[in-house]
Amino acid sequence: MEELPVPHNIKISNITCDSFKISWDMDSKSKERITHYFIDLNKKENKNSNKFKHKDVPTKLVAKAVPLPMTVRGHWFLSPRTEYTVAVQTASKQVDGDYTVSEWSEIIEFCTGDYSKVHLTQLLEKAEVIAGRMLKFSVFYRNQHKEYFDYIREQHGSVLQPSVKDNSGSHGSPISGKLEGIFFSCHTEFNTGKPPQDSPYGRYRFDIAAEKLFNPNTNLYFGDFYCMYTAYHYVILVLAPVGSLGDEFCKQRLPQLNLQDNKFLTCTEEDGVMVYHHAQDVILEVIYTDPVDLSLGTVAEITGHQLMSLSTANAKKDPSCKTCNISVGR
């Protein structure tokens, strides 16, 4: 009996955070005998994946032979932004239930994608559940060391410059490592209505009136929802001036929020005055996508402590938390 054709020229397409399409070429000889495909998928970092399989070694997915390209979704728990290797065999099921199989194809590498707006909307809905009531605030602020502000004055003409967001938060977040912006906080203490005096990022604080960054000429986007193995949950929001590069980036990738009516950060007009509120029960990390001149606010030393344990720099999300994870990936 002739051997089954070996798949070659494998192509991966339509990649998302949790699915992909796979196709390949194969000789027409004995093609009519193919009843199934065996597909072997491994995370690339797994150095011990079996690259020298024997024909009788069972594989991770046995799929009925369908017209190519074949969609692979739900067969594995695929993680977003993760590198995988894949190899294929053709197989023919025998009357006794065993399979005759071809040699393995070459090994192909690919990387899954970011969360889509659909997945981010699922995260958004989870975050809304625990956001809590809204508290008034009047300033955004950014804490850093004195040397940071000295550097901004000397090297950047006293203008804060956007930088690429780190990899903190959800692994599939489309803004990590891509969106450029400046992080601000707006959290207030319940008993004083003012920003807390402690900070994990430095003893100097730049305060800027909320309306300078958040107004009807700004669009607001939901970016992420995560925790770091603690009771605290963080929501990342993006403020982007209408029509800016940051706005165009977010418009394609993130759910947009109504400025006046959402569960996290609102801007409303009361008696001709802009009034601002933030959610009480989540910690908001606000990214502003344009440069900000220090002259628009004030820099002063805070009186509290530097609480390094609360820093979220490159923090990894707790993949086991049921509050802030969705089933598609980690």
Side-chain angles (χ1 to χ4, degrees), residues 58-312:
T59 57
K60 294 182 179 175
L61 171 64
V62 178
K64 286 186 177 180
V66 295
L68 300 177
M70 169 184 161
T71 299
V72 178
R73 180 196 300 276
H75 303 90
W76 291 281
F77 186 84
L78 290 173
S79 295
R81 283 196 178 194
T82 303
E83 293 184 325
Y84 289 93
T85 61
V86 64
V88 187
Q89 284 177 312
T90 56
S92 177
K93 191 170 186 177
Q94 308 302 299
V95 290
D96 60 3
D98 286 340
Y99 290 91
T100 300
V101 296
S102 71
E103 297 287 347
W104 282 101
S105 70
E106 74 273 28
I107 295 172
I108 297 298
E109 298 179 0
F110 71 100
C111 184
T112 48
D114 297 333
Y115 284 155
S116 68
K117 279 188 182 181
V118 171
H119 303 116
L120 288 172
T121 299
Q122 293 174 22
L123 273 182
L124 163 63
E125 290 168 352
K126 278 180 162 281
E128 287 177 335
V129 173
I130 69 159
R133 69 185 183 123
M134 305 291 277
L135 299 178
K136 275 189 178 182
F137 77 101
S138 59
V139 299
F140 289 103
Y141 57 92
R142 177 173 173 80
N143 294 295
Q144 279 288 353
H145 300 286
K146 180 178 183 297
E147 292 77 15
Y148 168 84
F149 290 110
D150 289 343
Y151 176 79
I152 295 299
R153 293 186 186 97
E154 294 164 9
Q155 301 297 323
H156 292 287
S158 295
V159 177
L160 296 171
Q161 297 295 330
S163 59
V164 177
K165 184 196 169 296
D166 65 12
N167 289 315
S168 60
S170 300
H171 190 53
S173 171
I175 62 177
S176 292
K178 295 181 180 178
L179 178 67
E180 293 189 359
I182 306 166
F183 266 106
F184 285 93
S185 299
C186 61
H187 186 68
T188 55
E189 292 183 320
F190 176 73
N191 56 341
T192 66
K194 296 180 180 180
Q197 282 299 310
D198 300 322
S199 165
Y201 300 108
R203 292 184 58 82
Y204 281 77
R205 174 174 293 165
F206 171 59
D207 283 340
I208 183 169
E211 61 264 24
K212 300 286 187 182
L213 304 184
F214 190 21
N215 53 63
N217 295 317
T218 316
N219 280 330
L220 177 65
Y221 298 91
F222 172 85
D224 201 3
F225 177 44
Y226 71 100
C227 70
M228 305 180 297
Y229 303 89
T230 67
Y232 302 109
H233 274 88
Y234 297 81
V235 169
I236 297 180
L237 302 175
V238 183
L239 285 173
V242 174
S244 65
L245 288 176
D247 189 34
E248 292 304 314
F249 177 95
C250 294
K251 196 172 293 183
Q252 298 173 33
R253 297 168 176 84
L254 305 180
Q256 187 168 349
L257 302 177
N258 185 310
L259 303 188
Q260 300 175 340
D261 183 19
N262 68 80
K263 300 287 189 181
F264 311 110
L265 191 73
T266 60
C267 165
T268 56
E269 187 174 333
E270 297 179 12
D271 299 325
V273 178
M274 301 306 292
V275 179
Y276 296 88
H277 290 83
H278 71 80
Q280 176 185 5
D281 294 341
V282 291
I283 299 175
L284 298 181
E285 298 181 305
V286 181
I287 301 176
Y288 188 75
T289 62
D290 269 15
V292 176
D293 198 310
L294 290 179
S295 67
L296 295 175
T298 58
V299 176
E301 187 172 5
I302 58 175
T303 58
H305 303 286
Q306 185 170 341
L307 305 175
M308 293 303 293
S309 62
L310 293 180
S311 172
T312 61

